[in-house]
Amino acid sequence: MTSISPDRRGGHDALDPSPATIRDMGTAALEWVAAYHDSIRDLPIAPRTSAAALRQRLAEPLPVEGRDFAELLEVFRDVIVPGSRHNGHPRFFGYVSAPGTAVASVADLLASALNANLPAWRSAPAPVELEHVAIDWIKEALGCDPGARGLFMSGGSMANLAALAAARHRHCGDAVAEQGAAAHPAPLRLYVSGETHHSIHKAAALLGIGRANVREVAVDEHRRMDVEDLVRRIEQDRAAGAEPFFVVATAGTVSTGAVDPLSEIAEVARRYGLWMHVDACYGGFARLAPSARPLFDGLAEADSISLDPHKWLYLPADCGCLIYRDPETARAAFSLDAEYIRVTQTEPAEAFAFWDYGPDLSRRFRALKVWMLLAHAGARAIGEAIESNLDCARHVADLVEASDDFEMLTPVGLSIFCFRYLPPSARTATTRTADEEEIDRLNERILVALQQAGSSYLSNASIDGRFALRGCVVNYRTTRADMEVLLDDVRRAAKQVAGDAG
Amino acid sequence: MTSISPDRRGGHDALDPSPATIRDMGTAALEWVAAYHDSIRDLPIAPRTSAAALRQRLAEPLPVEGRDFAELLEVFRDVIVPGSRHNGHPRFFGYVSAPGTAVASVADLLASALNANLPAWRSAPAPVELEHVAIDWIKEALGCDPGARGLFMSGGSMANLAALAAARHRHCGDAVAEQGAAAHPAPLRLYVSGETHHSIHKAAALLGIGRANVREVAVDEHRRMDVEDLVRRIEQDRAAGAEPFFVVATAGTVSTGAVDPLSEIAEVARRYGLWMHVDACYGGFARLAPSARPLFDGLAEADSISLDPHKWLYLPADCGCLIYRDPETARAAFSLDAEYIRVTQTEPAEAFAFWDYGPDLSRRFRALKVWMLLAHAGARAIGEAIESNLDCARHVADLVEASDDFEMLTPVGLSIFCFRYLPPSARTATTRTADEEEIDRLNERILVALQQAGSSYLSNASIDGRFALRGCVVNYRTTRADMEVLLDDVRRAAKQVAGDAG
C-alpha cells in the first residue's frame, strides 16, 4: 500500500475536506434542494424506468480511486432523481407518504455533521435532552400523561414490535426473556381488527408469539373495531385456557383512515388486564386539527402509542416514535447489562439510557428535525395544514358524490378517500350488480394508466372485496384545486383505458 | 382555527419556504458545518454540563407559533453543540465511535430533501438500485459471494436481531412464526463467546429464544473463540436433547478488537448444521487494510454478516447493514402479505421488496451516503485511513511498552488498545500483585479526570477482572502525534489524581 502521511490534518482529501470544499459541496447540493422544492409540482410523479435501465447507469465495481463530488451530484441529479417517485408532489396520494420539509432536511444535515449518537445521556447530553423535549411536545400534542416517556425509532413497524415485546414482558415476567417462550406454555393472545397494520402480525411472528395467536376482531360499518366482538373473543379465549394480553387499537387505519373507539377499547383493556397499544402511525398528529380532535378521546389511556412523525408531521424518513404510559414496565423488557455500556452517573436524568426502552443501541439524532420543525412551524400551522388535508379528502368525496361517473366505496376516514370510476353502463342501479368484477378490472387498469401518466398518483384498497382507488392526503402542498385535477386525471385515464380496449 | 388559504403554493411559510429561504437556511447551516469541521480538533471533547442546566435552556411547552430558523440555529450552536460530545475529535477514543464525513452529511441533506422511502423497488426505483450497488460494493470489500444480498438498517443491534430471526426460521420452519415458539418445544441453543456483543443476548430475549439458551464458549489467550470448546458445548447440548442452531463469530470484539477464527468456526457450523453469523460491526471494513486482511479469511462462508458502516466506513449515524449469503432463507422469515403492500410487478428485480429481508417497512435512503462516500473517497483511500488507524493503535502500544509508567493489559486487536497507568509503587515486579485493586481504583479515577479535562477521551474495559483504560481508533483525523498527546494527557490526569489524593 502507499504510505500514510504523518499528519493528515492538512490533507484536504475526500475524507477530511477543507472548509472551502465543504462550502462548495454543500452549496451545490443546496442549489439542487432549492430547485427541487421549486419544481416538484411540475414533475411526473412516478418514473417510467426499469431495473435493467437503472443498473446500466449505476452498476459498477467498487471504485478504487475516488472521483469529484460534482460528478456524483450529477449522477444524483441525472439518474437518481428522475428514477425516483416524488413523494412530495401535491398529487401523490399513494399509501401514507408525506413530503418532508426543507427545514427538516437542513436539520438532517446538521445532525449528520455533528454526528451525535444517542444511546444514553452521557453519550450526547444536549441531544438526549432535546429528544426528551421533542417527545414532551408530541405527548402534549396527543394529550398524554406527563409521566409518559418515549423515544424515536426507525419507523412504525419497529415501534409496534417494541410495544408488543414490552407487553409480553409485562405479562410473562422475565421468564420468557430468560428461558424463552417455552417457559410460558399457555398460549398468549393478542387482538387486532382486520384493518390493523400487518407489522403487528410480523412482530408476533418474530417475537415467537406466533401469527396464529393474533385474533382478528370484527369491524363495524365504519371499519372500526367492534368492541362487543372484542369482549366475546377475549371471553372465549380465557374460557379455552389462553391468555389475552394485548390489544391493538388503530387511530387511522391504512386502508380507510378509520379510528377505532379508543375509550371503549381502553375500558375493555382495563377490565381484562390487557396492554392497550394504539397504532397512531398515520393518524396520531391529526389530534392537532380541531375537526379530528374528538376522535382521539381515550388515546392517553393507552399503555403505548406508536407514531410516524415521518408521516403527518411532514418529516423526511426515517422517524418513528413510541410512547409508553409507564416507562418502567418497558425498561424491564429492554434493559441489559454489559461492561461497555455501564453507566456510572448517579443523577437519574444523567444515568438515563434509551437502550432501556427499545431494541437499538446506536441511535441517530432524529430529535433535531422533530424539534426544528415543530419550533419553526409551530403547532398552529401544522394543525392548520392537517386540517387542510382533511378538508381536501372531504372535498374530493363531495365532488365524487356530486358526479355520476364516480362513487365512494366507504366514507372518508381522516384524510383517506376510497372511490371508483363507473363506466357509463354502470351508472344506473339496474345494470350494476352484474358488473362488479368488470368494474374492478376497469379500475385496476385505470390505476395503472393514472400512475403512468404522472400527474396524479393513487394506490388501491380492497373494500368489501371490491377494488377501490384509494388516496391519502398528508401533504401541506395539496390544495382543493389538486383534488379537482385528480378527478380529471382519473377521467382521462378511464378514457385512455376505454380507448385501449376499443 | 384560522382559515386555510385556498392555495398554499404561493404561501412561502415555514412548511413550504421559497427557494430563496431554503438557500438562506441551508447556507447558514453550511457555514456552521464548515466551521465545525475546521475547529473540531480544538474543542473540549466532552461537555461539562448537567441535565438540569440543559433542561433550563431547552425545556418549554409545545410552541403554538413558529419562530425564525435563525433563532433555532442559534440554539443549536449555543446550547446543543457545546452540550454534545464531539465524536469526530481526533482523540475521541471511547467505545467504537467514528467521526462521520462531510460528504456523507451532504448526502444526508440530499436524501432528506428527495425524501425517497425504500420499502420496495416500485416505491423508489433508482434509490433501491443504488442500495443494491452500495451493498455490492460492501460485498466486494468483504470478499462475499456474488449471490449474497443485503440491506441497510438502523444499526448493528437490529442487524444481529434480524440474523438471529432468520436463522431460527431456517431451523424451525414456519411453525414458530405461525404458532409461536411453543410449537418447537426442544430448547434451541446459540453460541457466543464472553466477548460477543450483548445485542445478541438482547435479541435472544426479545425473539422468545431466551438468554439462558445463549451458551458462552471459552476464549483463548487472545480472547478469540476457542473452537474446541465450541465443539464440546455443541456435543453436550445435542447429547442433552437441545438443538444447536446458531453461532456468532465476532470480527472485532468491542473490548479488545479480537477477531475469532472464522474459517474454523465456519467448518464447525457446516459440520453441525449451524447458521454462522459474523458480527463484523466494528471490524469488517478493516479487510480493506492490507495488514488486517488475512484475519478475515473465512468471512465469506458466513450465513450472515452484520456491519456498521457508521463505524469504520466513517459514516454519520445511523447506518447498520446485514448481508445474507442465501437471501431466500431470510425471505421466508420476514415476508408478509397485505393488500397495501401487494407488488404487481412481474420482473423479479422490480418485484423486489426490502421488507422481505428485515423488520422495517419504511426505510430511509441510507444508501446515498454509503455510495457517495465510497465513490468520492474510493476504496484505496478508505483502506489507507483504516491502515493508519491500525498503525496508531500499534504505535500507542509501542510507546506503552517502552515506558515504565504504563503497561498493556492485552495485545492490540485491530485498532483497540487496552492499557493502564502504573503508580511509582507498582513499577517493580515485587510490589505489584498486592496492589491490583488499588491500581484499578487509581485508573478509574484517572479515566474520569481524563474525560473531564477534555483533550483526550478513553473508555474502559475489564481485562481478566482488571480495570483497563481502553481506546479505539476509528477516525481518519487521528495521527501518531495524537497517540503521544494521549499518553501525556493520561500522565497529566494521573498527576492530578495523585494531587487530589495527597
Side-chain angles (χ1 to χ4, degrees):
Chain A
M1 50 155 270
T2 58
S3 68
I4 307 291
S5 64
D7 189 325
R8 296 178 72 96
R9 198 196 176 185
H12 292 141
D13 60 2
L15 291 171
D16 195 11
S18 71
T21 304
I22 293 174
R23 268 184 217 104
D24 287 349
M25 291 194 299
T27 303
L30 203 53
E31 206 39 58
W32 174 82
V33 172
Y36 183 66
H37 281 79
D38 201 34
S39 68
I40 193 163
R41 177 171 282 273
D42 307 314
L43 295 175
I45 298 173
R48 304 192 69 165
T49 184
S50 70
L54 289 166
R55 275 177 199 184
Q56 206 252 316
R57 298 291 299 272
L58 297 172
E60 60 175 317
L62 174 64
V64 175
E65 304 302 335
R67 69 192 83 152
D68 276 358
F69 175 77
E71 214 179 301
L72 301 173
L73 186 61
E74 212 173 283
V75 175
F76 177 77
R77 268 190 314 236
D78 297 352
V79 185
I80 306 298
V81 175
S84 295
R85 199 180 67 196
H86 302 295
N87 300 329
H89 188 290
R91 288 189 302 279
F92 178 72
F93 300 113
Y95 319 97
V96 183
S97 197
T101 30
V103 68
S105 304
V106 172
D108 265 331
L109 167 69
L110 295 170
S112 289
L114 179 63
N115 195 27
N117 184 355
L118 288 71
W121 191 89
R122 61 148 189 219
S123 322
V128 166
E129 290 298 336
L130 200 72
E131 183 156 340
H132 291 324
V133 170
I135 291 285
D136 281 346
W137 288 0
I138 289 175
K139 282 160 51 188
E140 200 178 327
L142 300 180
C144 292
D145 289 347
R149 182 155 238 175
L151 72 170
F152 297 114
M153 302 187 163
S154 58
S157 291
M158 197 47 62
N160 285 341
L161 183 144
L164 183 55
R168 194 240 322 251
H169 195 275
R170 186 180 79 173
H171 182 78
C172 298
D174 209 49
V176 166
E178 188 57 26
Q179 300 295 332
H184 193 94
L188 301 175
R189 289 286 152 74
L190 57 142
Y191 303 86
V192 303
S193 84
E195 304 292 313
T196 302
H197 193 264
H198 222 280
S199 55
I200 296 288
H201 307 74
K202 186 165 176 170
L206 286 172
L207 298 177
I209 293 167
R211 285 185 294 256
N213 292 311
V214 182
R215 291 304 169 112
E216 204 171 297
V217 177
V219 292
D220 67 15
E221 72 280 15
H222 297 106
R223 284 159 212 283
R224 296 175 306 196
M225 185 177 273
D226 175 338
V227 179
E228 281 180 28
D229 191 54
L230 170 64
V231 170
R232 196 157 42 234
R233 281 168 198 273
I234 292 172
E235 293 279 6
Q236 277 170 1
D237 282 338
R238 279 162 61 124
E243 298 182 3
F245 79 108
F246 189 74
V247 57
V248 183
T250 303
T253 61
V254 170
S255 284
T256 69
V259 179
D260 287 333
L262 304 179
S263 292
E264 295 171 50
I265 294 171
E267 194 280 314
V268 173
R270 264 198 311 275
R271 196 186 329 153
Y272 292 98
L274 275 59
W275 178 296
M276 177 184 177
H277 174 65
V278 178
D279 180 339
C281 285
Y282 154 48
F285 294 105
R287 192 172 178 276
L288 290 170
S291 76
R293 195 171 187 120
L295 292 168
F296 297 92
D297 286 353
L299 180 60
E301 296 176 66
D303 293 290
S304 54
I305 305 170
S306 56
L307 294 148
D308 268 341
H310 67 212
K311 293 195 168 93
W312 228 341
L313 207 52
Y314 305 123
L315 288 170
D318 57 10
C319 193
C321 174
L322 180 58
I323 292 173
Y324 299 106
R325 193 164 53 88
D326 174 9
E328 281 313 299
T329 332
R331 204 173 183 283
F334 292 104
S335 67
L336 52 84
D337 187 44
E339 185 64 22
Y340 44 84
I341 54 167
R342 190 155 61 101
V343 171
T344 50
Q345 277 87 351
T346 47
E347 167 67 37
E350 296 170 12
F352 177 84
F354 282 114
W355 68 66
D356 285 339
Y357 303 91
D360 288 317
L361 190 52
S362 284
R363 295 173 65 256
R364 179 174 168 80
F365 189 13
R366 294 187 183 92
L368 186 64
K369 62 182 168 189
V370 181
W371 173 80
M372 241 176 207
L373 177 75
L374 282 167
H376 182 47
R380 185 200 306 273
I382 293 168
E384 286 173 9
I386 294 174
E387 192 67 65
S388 168
N389 294 161
L390 297 168
D391 175 69
C392 283
R394 292 170 196 145
H395 181 60
V396 82
D398 289 345
L399 296 172
V400 164
E401 299 291 7
S403 76
D404 69 343
D405 51 352
F406 292 116
E407 68 174 358
M408 294 298 289
L409 285 176
T410 187
V412 165
L414 295 177
S415 65
I416 293 179
F417 51 98
C418 291
F419 70 111
R420 63 177 176 175
Y421 177 78
L422 295 173
S425 65
R427 288 176 198 167
T428 57
T430 46
T431 55
R432 280 186 51 182
T433 41
D435 292 48
E436 286 298 328
E437 286 183 11
E438 195 190 311
I439 301 175
D440 282 354
R441 281 193 303 272
L442 173 64
N443 278 275
E444 226 173 313
R445 290 201 302 275
I446 289 172
L447 182 64
V448 171
L450 179 83
Q451 291 179 350
Q452 288 186 346
S455 163
S456 294
Y457 194 110
L458 297 166
S459 57
N460 57 292
S462 173
I463 305 290
D464 296 328
R466 298 275 66 90
F467 186 91
L469 302 172
R470 174 201 162 281
C472 176
V473 193
V474 281
N475 188 336
Y476 49 79
R477 291 190 182 100
T478 309
T479 67
R480 282 185 157 219
D482 286 309
M483 310 318 288
E484 290 150 27
V485 174
L486 165 68
L487 292 186
D488 287 345
D489 287 339
V490 175
R491 286 188 179 105
R492 198 168 302 119
K495 212 171 274 175
Q496 188 200 319
V497 165
D500 291 350
Chain B
M1 50 155 273
T2 58
S3 70
I4 307 291
S5 65
D7 188 326
R8 297 177 71 96
R9 198 195 175 187
H12 292 142
D13 59 4
L15 291 172
D16 195 11
S18 71
T21 304
I22 293 174
R23 270 185 215 102
D24 288 349
M25 291 194 297
T27 304
L30 203 53
E31 206 39 58
W32 174 82
V33 172
Y36 183 67
H37 281 78
D38 201 34
S39 67
I40 193 163
R41 177 171 283 273
D42 306 313
L43 295 174
I45 297 174
R48 304 192 68 165
T49 184
S50 70
L54 288 166
R55 274 176 201 186
Q56 205 253 316
R57 298 289 300 271
L58 297 171
E60 60 176 318
L62 175 62
V64 175
E65 304 301 335
R67 70 192 82 151
D68 277 358
F69 175 77
E71 214 179 301
L72 301 173
L73 186 60
E74 212 174 284
V75 175
F76 177 77
R77 268 190 312 236
D78 297 352
V79 185
I80 306 299
V81 175
S84 295
R85 198 179 68 196
H86 302 294
N87 300 330
H89 189 289
R91 286 189 303 278
F92 178 72
F93 301 114
Y95 320 99
V96 183
S97 196
T101 30
V103 69
S105 304
V106 172
D108 265 331
L109 166 70
L110 294 169
S112 290
L114 179 62
N115 196 26
N117 183 355
L118 287 72
W121 191 90
R122 61 147 188 222
S123 322
V128 166
E129 291 299 336
L130 200 72
E131 184 156 340
H132 291 324
V133 170
I135 291 284
D136 281 345
W137 288 359
I138 289 175
K139 282 160 49 187
E140 199 179 326
L142 300 181
C144 293
D145 288 348
R149 182 156 236 174
L151 72 169
F152 297 115
M153 302 186 163
S154 58
S157 291
M158 196 48 62
N160 285 341
L161 183 144
L164 183 56
R168 193 239 323 252
H169 196 274
R170 186 180 78 173
H171 182 78
C172 297
D174 208 49
V176 166
E178 189 58 25
Q179 300 295 331
H184 193 94
L188 301 175
R189 289 286 152 74
L190 57 142
Y191 302 86
V192 303
S193 84
E195 304 292 312
T196 302
H197 194 263
H198 222 282
S199 55
I200 296 288
H201 306 73
K202 187 165 177 170
L206 286 172
L207 298 176
I209 293 167
R211 285 185 294 255
N213 291 312
V214 182
R215 291 304 168 112
E216 204 171 297
V217 177
V219 292
D220 66 15
E221 72 280 15
H222 297 105
R223 286 161 210 283
R224 297 175 305 197
M225 184 177 275
D226 175 339
V227 179
E228 280 179 30
D229 192 54
L230 170 64
V231 170
R232 195 156 44 234
R233 281 168 198 274
I234 292 173
E235 293 279 4
Q236 277 170 1
D237 283 338
R238 279 161 62 124
E243 298 183 3
F245 79 108
F246 189 74
V247 58
V248 183
T250 303
T253 61
V254 170
S255 284
T256 69
V259 179
D260 287 333
L262 304 180
S263 292
E264 293 172 51
I265 294 171
E267 194 279 314
V268 173
R270 264 198 311 275
R271 196 188 329 156
Y272 292 99
L274 274 60
W275 179 296
M276 178 184 177
H277 174 65
V278 177
D279 179 340
C281 285
Y282 154 48
F285 294 105
R287 191 172 179 276
L288 290 169
S291 76
R293 195 172 188 120
L295 292 168
F296 298 92
D297 286 353
L299 180 61
E301 296 176 67
D303 293 290
S304 53
I305 305 170
S306 56
L307 294 147
D308 269 339
H310 67 213
K311 293 194 169 94
W312 228 341
L313 208 52
Y314 305 122
L315 288 169
D318 57 9
C319 192
C321 174
L322 180 59
I323 292 173
Y324 299 106
R325 192 163 53 87
D326 173 8
E328 280 314 299
T329 333
R331 206 173 182 282
F334 293 104
S335 67
L336 52 86
D337 187 44
E339 185 66 21
Y340 45 85
I341 54 167
R342 189 156 61 101
V343 172
T344 51
Q345 277 87 350
T346 47
E347 166 67 35
E350 297 170 12
F352 176 85
F354 282 114
W355 67 66
D356 285 339
Y357 302 91
D360 288 315
L361 190 52
S362 285
R363 295 173 66 256
R364 179 173 167 80
F365 189 12
R366 294 187 182 93
L368 187 64
K369 62 182 167 190
V370 181
W371 172 80
M372 242 178 207
L373 177 75
L374 281 167
H376 183 47
R380 186 200 306 273
I382 293 168
E384 285 173 9
I386 295 174
E387 193 67 65
S388 167
N389 293 162
L390 297 168
D391 175 69
C392 283
R394 292 170 197 146
H395 182 58
V396 81
D398 289 345
L399 295 172
V400 163
E401 299 291 6
S403 76
D404 68 344
D405 51 352
F406 292 116
E407 69 173 359
M408 294 299 288
L409 284 177
T410 187
V412 166
L414 295 177
S415 66
I416 294 179
F417 51 96
C418 291
F419 70 111
R420 62 177 176 176
Y421 177 78
L422 294 173
S425 65
R427 289 176 196 166
T428 58
T430 46
T431 55
R432 280 187 51 181
T433 41
D435 293 47
E436 286 297 328
E437 287 183 11
E438 195 189 309
I439 301 175
D440 282 354
R441 281 194 303 273
L442 173 64
N443 277 277
E444 226 173 316
R445 290 201 301 274
I446 290 172
L447 182 65
V448 172
L450 179 82
Q451 291 179 350
Q452 288 185 346
S455 162
S456 295
Y457 194 109
L458 297 167
S459 58
N460 57 293
S462 172
I463 304 292
D464 296 327
R466 299 277 64 91
F467 185 91
L469 301 172
R470 174 201 163 281
C472 176
V473 193
V474 281
N475 188 335
Y476 49 78
R477 291 189 182 99
T478 308
T479 66
R480 283 186 157 219
D482 285 309
M483 311 318 289
E484 289 151 28
V485 174
L486 165 67
L487 292 187
D488 287 345
D489 286 340
V490 176
R491 286 188 178 104
R492 198 168 301 117
K495 212 172 273 175
Q496 187 199 320
V497 165
D500 290 351

